[in-house]
Amino acid sequence: RRADPTWSKDANATASHGQLTSPMPGKVVKLLVSEGDAVSRGQPLLVIEAMKMEHTLSAHAEGIVQGLSGLHVGTQVEDGQVLLRIGEPAAAGGKDAEGGVAAAVGAVA
């Protein structure tokens, strides 16, 4: 059975936007998006390898990828670790609804 990613909402997130957290400990084996990319609901974002199986984590909503600066292929992640954030879709003027990019990744050493 494939583990479902966990989405949490922070104080700046709307009901449809929030943080993607790792559903289990593992290693990032593929990053399918970059910082600032516009994504649509259901779009694959990254792949984690855990227990010798690959788990694809997808976007829960339309928005802008934020907080990827500390995440790369090979990064070891913990259960519940914030992997990235989906911010509001870009507003007029080229910035997201919060006026910038929020760093939300706590890389594990």
Side-chain angles (χ1 to χ4, degrees):
R1 181 175 180 259
R2 193 174 115 199
D4 291 326
T6 303
W7 291 96
S8 63
K9 299 178 195 110
D10 63 18
N12 296 318
T14 66
S16 63
H17 295 83
Q19 299 174 338
L20 173 65
T21 59
S22 180
M24 64 188 68
K27 178 173 72 172
V28 176
V29 293
K30 292 180 190 172
L31 274 176
L32 306 172
V33 293
S34 299
E35 184 78 21
D37 283 357
V39 296
S40 56
R41 183 183 181 117
Q43 179 177 337
L45 303 174
L46 59 104
V47 179
I48 293 177
E49 182 181 90
M51 302 180 334
K52 298 184 181 183
M53 295 188 67
E54 290 188 349
H55 306 276
T56 301
L57 306 182
S58 300
H60 69 293
E62 179 179 305
I64 304 298
V65 174
Q66 301 173 337
L68 267 180
S69 60
L71 198 64
H72 57 274
V73 172
T75 300
Q76 293 289 327
V77 297
E78 300 293 326
D79 183 24
Q81 177 181 336
V82 175
L83 302 174
L84 60 85
R85 185 170 181 279
I86 301 291
E88 293 287 339
K95 288 189 177 183
D96 64 65
E98 293 164 20
V101 174
V105 174
V108 174

